[in-house]
Amino acid sequence: MKIRLGIPKGSLQDATLELFARAGLQINVNSRSYFASTGDSEIECMLIRAQEMARYVEHGALDAGLTGLDWVIESGLEVETVADLIYAKQSRGKVRWVLAAPEASSFQRAEDFSGKIIATELVNVTRNYFRDRGVEVQVEFSWGATEAKPPMLADAIVEVTETGSSLRANHLRILDTVLESNTQIIANRAAWLDSGKRRKIENLALMLRGAMEAKERVGLMLNVRQEDLKAVLAVLPALKRPTISTLSDPEWLAVNTVIEEHTAWDVIPRLKEAKAQGIVEYPLNKVVL
């Protein structure tokens, strides 16, 4: 069963292609084409701007796609949410759309902007934000370089940020969070009702989530005497419980577990002190919970 999959073109593209590669599916992109080949003959890929993804998925031009929750809400279209994938351009986390105004301005909250101009790409969400607060504003669509518009071209902006560094560099201060967003896998509702396509999309989501779970984790395996097992287990954090198996010598056990990569620096010396032997740290490709 073949599916048509939308890959976000633009700021999320590199992070998305890297995620697919870690999941085991190489996507080959030609800079001159909006179509991409994959190692799976049942998946056809097309590069689409994240802002437009929900439209093409909802209309059925694509069976599924990756885009931001923000653009799904902004579009107002009916699509099936398959999975949340918490990653962004620079980090493994959510992004925020924030209301920001010039540092030197007197604005402190949304209610201070009555009759003012707000520049943003996220027009509908921004209008709803101010409408919910009973504030009449003029929301203008921004084609880019939004941070540069206050105070000459707009009184404030609603802009997406991961760290806030770009806003600070443009002498803007954050007043409020308008919306938190993260990447999602979305599906066309007719495709989701097709058992073959649904299985393919669900398997895709499973592998991508597994790659994300593995990214900042490593595996550990070690040997330990029966009498020292309790001390070793006291050192080990684990997803659930470590896997423990017997060796050919009944006095010895093998222990396998998964830990956060940044903890290995501390954990491995402590395991050695607890009399663990043959400690091996190894990278993980996927962790399926």
Side-chain angles (χ1 to χ4, degrees), residues 12-26:
L12 272 179
Q13 181 176 328
D14 289 345
T16 300
L17 295 178
E18 179 190 347
L19 176 60
F20 271 88
R22 292 203 315 271
L25 183 64
Q26 194 70 38

Side-chain angles (χ1 to χ4, degrees), residues 52-60 62-65 67-69 71-73 75-82 184-190 192:
E52 300 178 290
M53 191 72 71
R55 182 201 318 167
Y56 294 117
V57 170
E58 197 263 357
H59 291 175
L62 298 170
D63 295 308
T67 188
L69 169 64
W71 299 116
V72 175
I73 295 174
S75 73
L77 298 172
E78 298 293 328
V79 294
E80 192 71 33
T81 301
V82 178
Q184 293 186 326
I185 303 175
I186 60 173
N188 172 268
R189 291 194 163 175
W192 192 243

Side-chain angles (χ1 to χ4, degrees), residues 71-119:
W71 299 116
V72 175
I73 295 174
E74 175 72 6
S75 73
L77 298 172
E78 298 293 328
V79 294
E80 192 71 33
T81 301
V82 178
D84 286 302
L85 302 174
I86 312 298
Y87 74 93
K89 180 172 65 174
Q90 300 177 22
S91 65
R92 184 182 171 184
K94 294 189 175 186
V95 298
R96 293 188 299 151
W97 285 87
V98 297
L99 174 63
E103 291 175 346
S105 72
S106 61
F107 300 119
Q108 297 295 326
R109 56 198 185 111
E111 289 75 10
D112 296 337
F113 291 96
S114 181
K116 303 299 184 181
I117 296 174
I118 312 296

Side-chain angles (χ1 to χ4, degrees), residues 198-209:
R198 179 168 181 160
R199 186 179 304 110
K200 192 71 179 178
I201 295 168
E202 287 179 329
N203 288 343
L204 173 71
L206 176 75
M207 297 299 278
L208 292 177
R209 283 197 302 257

Side-chain angles (χ1 to χ4, degrees), residues 36-54:
S37 62
T38 76
D40 187 330
S41 61
E42 295 183 340
I43 299 179
E44 295 178 348
C45 287
M46 186 174 184
L47 298 174
I48 299 288
R49 282 172 57 85
Q51 294 91 325
E52 300 178 290
M53 191 72 71

Side-chain angles (χ1 to χ4, degrees), residues 252-272:
W252 287 84
L253 298 168
V255 178
N256 273 277
T257 192
V258 174
I259 65 172
E260 299 293 330
E261 186 174 17
H262 71 273
T263 67
W265 179 263
D266 173 64
V267 166
I268 290 176
R270 291 170 59 203
L271 288 172
K272 191 65 177 174

